[in-house]
Amino acid sequence: MIYTLTFNPSIDYEMNLAHLSLSHTNRSTHESYRLGGKGINVSHILHELGFESVILGFRGGFVGDEIQRLIYQFGLNEKLIELEEGTSRINVKVLGKVETEINGEGPLIGGSDMKQLYDQLDMLGKEDVLILSGSIPKCLNDNIYETILSVQNAKGVLCIVDATKDLLVNTLKHHPFLIKPNVAECEEILNESLLTTKQVVEAAKKLQEMGARNVMISRGKEGAVLVDENGGIFESKGLKGECISSVGCGDSMVAGFVAAYLKCSNYEEAFKLAMACGSATAFSEDLAKIEMIERCYNELEVRK
């Protein structure tokens, strides 16, 4: 079974603006809200690709109740732990010529709550996949992913990490199967500029030297690069088209990679489906549907 872990799920309230003027009253042209949280996004795309998963994490308050309702509405599976204190996040995303996000802090996760999560994770075995995605509340330490990965990796669970800064770096010594930083995140980790494809490939190799098995680096409109554990290097340029929203693109890539790898154990194919899913979400108002994913897949080219 595939498990996605989201410590900080949310309701994302999206507002479309023609122009954003600071210190003035702004009126949106359109509003909508949807499930947020990177692991939930991954589960959503996996479901679209025909792969079931279980959403792990925490929910709190009336927002948490709505998160659970929407998960069931979309036909997804969850084992979210209900918190006694605080409420899950409402994130405001302003969409227009420039995208702006205001993310909530998130609820308080206590020791007893974490024990319930660890009890759930104890059930995972070598036939399972665990995807650790996104940020964590301030009440948790930056080594939380490392703690989880050290135990799960030792059991043979296939672990994927999509996180930033120390939350990601701390896990590398435990050899995650896949990490998927973007260029900006790599630049921050390695403290260097990555302007060319060659530089991005070298950055991926450095992250492998730090412990990651496979490194997929997304580059926005420039596409993405994969350096796999066998020394394979794959590149794909971004498809031409109108980017409606970048929200969920990276999560879609992770889902596509995992789905294809579990199906055929081929890194080139996994990378191509990852690119197709990420591009399809960029061209969609919400997370991608299978029709758009298939269209993007047929248009994509992967170069070795």
Side-chain angles (χ1 to χ4, degrees):
M1 177 58 73
I2 305 171
Y3 296 86
T4 64
L5 176 54
T6 305
F7 277 99
N8 243 346
S10 65
I11 295 296
D12 288 349
Y13 185 62
E14 299 181 347
M15 308 182 73
N16 292 73
L17 299 180
H19 302 284
L20 176 62
S21 299
L22 298 179
S23 302
H24 291 80
T25 298
N26 295 272
R27 300 190 184 279
S28 68
T29 58
H30 175 71
E31 306 98 32
S32 61
Y33 73 94
R34 64 178 177 177
L35 271 173
K38 292 177 70 63
I40 293 177
N41 291 341
V42 173
S43 285
H44 201 135
I45 295 296
L46 284 169
H47 182 71
E48 196 69 23
L49 294 169
F51 285 78
E52 295 307 306
S53 65
V54 177
I55 298 167
L56 303 178
F58 303 91
R59 64 181 181 89
F62 74 98
V63 181
D65 292 341
E66 180 65 5
I67 287 171
Q68 185 184 57
R69 187 189 73 81
L70 289 172
I71 286 173
Y72 291 149
Q73 178 179 303
F74 288 113
L76 307 179
N77 307 306
E78 61 87 23
K79 291 185 178 180
L80 295 175
I81 296 164
E82 186 172 5
L83 301 169
E84 294 183 1
E85 296 186 50
T87 185
S88 297
R89 301 182 299 166
I90 297 177
N91 296 332
V92 178
K93 300 183 183 294
V94 180
L95 307 179
K97 291 184 178 180
V98 178
E99 294 184 6
T100 301
E101 297 185 16
I102 304 173
N103 291 342
E105 184 176 5
L108 177 65
I109 300 173
S112 61
D113 303 314
M114 286 301 302
K115 183 181 184 305
Q116 290 184 66
L117 175 64
Y118 287 137
D119 288 344
Q120 289 179 336
L121 294 174
D122 282 344
M123 304 300 294
L124 274 61
K126 62 181 180 179
E127 300 298 322
D128 296 316
V129 177
L130 177 62
I131 302 171
L132 307 171
S133 297
S135 64
I136 59 173
K138 292 181 180 179
C139 58
L140 298 177
N141 294 324
D142 279 347
N143 66 351
I144 185 64
Y145 279 2
E146 175 188 5
T147 300
I148 292 171
L149 197 71
S150 65
V151 175
Q152 299 306 317
N153 192 53
K155 294 192 298 182
V157 176
L158 206 64
C159 297
I160 291 96
V161 182
D162 184 11
T164 61
K165 300 180 183 179
D166 290 342
L167 201 57
L168 172 63
V169 173
N170 291 340
T171 69
L172 297 182
K173 69 185 75 162
H174 301 291
H175 311 295
F177 172 71
L178 173 72
I179 63 172
K180 195 226 66 65
N182 60 37
V183 167
E185 291 163 351
C186 287
E187 290 177 333
E188 185 174 27
I189 291 171
L190 300 173
N191 194 28
E192 58 185 72
S193 296
L194 305 175
L195 303 177
T196 66
T197 300
K198 182 179 179 180
Q199 290 173 328
V200 174
V201 169
E202 291 304 312
K205 291 179 178 179
K206 290 178 182 178
L207 292 171
Q208 281 186 322
E209 291 171 0
M210 295 168 68
R213 290 171 57 186
N214 301 286
V215 181
M216 182 166 58
I217 301 178
S218 55
R219 305 176 66 196
K221 294 180 180 180
E222 297 300 317
V225 164
L226 170 70
V227 178
D228 71 36
E229 61 185 333
N230 301 318
I233 300 173
F234 304 96
E235 177 197 3
S236 181
K237 296 292 185 182
L239 291 175
K240 293 183 179 180
E242 179 186 1
C243 179
I244 296 175
S245 173
S246 64
V247 176
C249 292
D251 310 322
S252 300
M253 291 183 69
V254 170
F257 189 99
V258 170
Y261 182 80
L262 291 178
K263 186 176 181 179
C264 65
S265 299
N266 182 285
Y267 287 128
E268 182 175 359
E269 181 65 21
F271 179 58
K272 185 173 182 179
L273 186 56
M275 282 295 300
C277 290
S279 299
T281 289
F283 299 153
S284 304
E285 292 186 358
D286 204 332
L287 295 174
K289 298 295 185 183
I290 188 63
E291 295 80 10
M292 180 63 81
I293 293 172
E294 291 174 347
R295 173 184 162 188
C296 290
Y297 180 89
N298 292 330
E299 293 178 1
L300 274 164
E301 293 184 4
V302 173
R303 292 185 292 275
K304 293 185 178 182

